[in-house]
Amino acid sequence: MRAAVVRTFGGPEAVEIVDVDLPEPGPRQVRIKVAAAALNPVDAATRSGMFGEPGGLGGDVAGTIDAAGADTSWSVGDEVVALANGTHAQYVVVEADWVAPAPSSADAVHASTLPLNALTAAGALDLLGLRKGQSLLVTGAAGAVGGYAVQLATHQGVSVTALAREKDEQLVRSLGAARVTGITGKADFDAVLDAAILGEPALARVRNAGAYVGVIPGAGPAAARGVRVEAVQVRPDGARLAELVRLVDEGVLTLRVAGTYALQEAAKAHARLAEGGLRGRLVIVPDHG
């Protein structure tokens, strides 16, 4: 099968398409025939050498189970989504409990944008632990994680203010933000979800003894004024992902695609991601012909 890998760290040109052995699922694993796999900033970070060793790329996947190991409840032909490793490939093997049914209301390209970013947003909101009626500032609200956070928090009855550019005001309001603000202002929020990784300026908008949650472990600001500072660490979780899929089908969560690229064009997709300005995810679509 074909897969996108990085063997030497670098820019978009470091992405290679190579032939690798077709993986076989073991007990409590399934193999997914990849229909679509989103490209995320973490893939660019992996490509450039920020995380671990060279290897495969991709974390989100939408596709069809085409082989199942022993002790799984999944069947060949099931349409699924998952958070896994090495999904920029024609096939990927994942743990069975990382998998959730695909949304019935979306195609595979859109469904592939859900797992990593929605699980990150949901995990961050879990850490914040806000109650109905409390106030939340979401930085990077027009982005993938921020957008899901706005929708999830609004659905939970939290009063959401979006930190976004003027050109994105209509978008973030359509996602449920009650207000839109800039980075400067009073410390008048119960909490902040810092999807834009602003650090101290975002922390400064939180009331004394409030809460700050970032999206990169170890990259947050120092705690101050009694504000609790944490970072979300996302992990594969099929049960939680199934809950988020249900919210997609109920119209609570919006799946946004900025464009698609064939697997053999993965380097071009990385180059487009590096240009910035996207409102939605780029998606890798393997050819199985």
Side-chain angles (χ1 to χ4, degrees):
M1 73 166 192
R2 306 282 278 169
V5 303
V6 170
R7 292 188 283 201
T8 302
F9 294 133
E13 71 284 351
V15 178
E16 301 179 48
I17 307 301
V18 300
D19 289 311
V20 297
D21 291 338
L22 181 69
E24 295 294 337
R28 296 179 293 280
Q29 292 182 328
V30 297
R31 185 173 67 206
I32 300 173
K33 182 179 181 180
V34 179
L39 174 65
N40 290 286
V42 67
D43 297 309
T46 299
R47 183 203 73 225
S48 63
M50 290 181 63
F51 304 119
E53 300 295 324
L57 296 166
D60 292 309
V61 60
T64 305
I65 291 176
D66 87 320
D71 301 322
T72 72
S73 60
W74 297 101
S75 300
V76 172
D78 288 344
E79 295 183 357
V80 297
V81 291
L83 175 62
N85 295 316
T87 62
H88 291 173
Q90 291 176 309
Y91 297 86
V92 63
V93 166
V94 306
E95 301 300 317
D97 61 2
W98 295 358
V99 177
S104 61
S105 59
D107 60 24
V109 169
H110 284 80
S112 74
T113 67
L114 181 71
L116 175 61
N117 295 288
L119 284 169
T120 300
L125 291 172
D126 288 346
L127 287 176
L128 290 171
L130 293 170
R131 300 183 304 276
K132 184 176 181 179
Q134 288 191 290
S135 60
L136 170 68
L137 173 66
V138 177
T139 75
V145 172
Y148 285 134
V150 170
Q151 291 186 305
L152 288 169
T154 300
H155 184 64
Q156 295 168 7
V158 173
S159 176
V160 179
T161 296
L163 193 155
R165 297 174 181 174
E166 184 177 350
K167 65 180 182 180
D168 291 320
E169 180 171 354
Q170 182 177 351
L171 169 62
V172 296
R173 286 190 181 278
S174 74
L175 297 174
R179 293 194 299 152
V180 180
T181 186
I183 189 56
T184 58
K186 298 179 180 179
D188 52 0
F189 295 99
D190 294 312
V192 62
L193 196 167
D194 190 15
I197 321 173
L198 299 179
E200 291 185 3
L203 181 71
R205 299 298 306 272
V206 183
R207 295 189 178 106
N208 294 349
Y212 167 104
V213 167
V215 295
I216 300 180
R225 301 179 288 107
V227 175
R228 174 170 55 87
V229 174
E230 297 187 73
V232 61
Q233 299 190 53
V234 65
R235 295 180 177 85
D237 184 340
R240 189 65 184 278
L241 183 55
E243 295 175 5
L244 296 167
V245 166
R246 176 178 57 80
L247 293 177
V248 171
D249 286 336
E250 291 177 357
V252 174
L253 295 180
T254 303
L255 306 174
R256 293 181 285 155
V257 173
T260 60
Y261 289 81
L263 178 61
Q264 59 267 29
E265 297 177 318
K268 292 182 180 179
H270 277 252
R272 176 63 188 91
L273 178 65
E275 293 174 3
L278 297 169
R279 291 297 173 259
R281 283 287 177 249
L282 299 175
V283 177
I284 304 296
V285 181
D287 180 3
H288 291 275

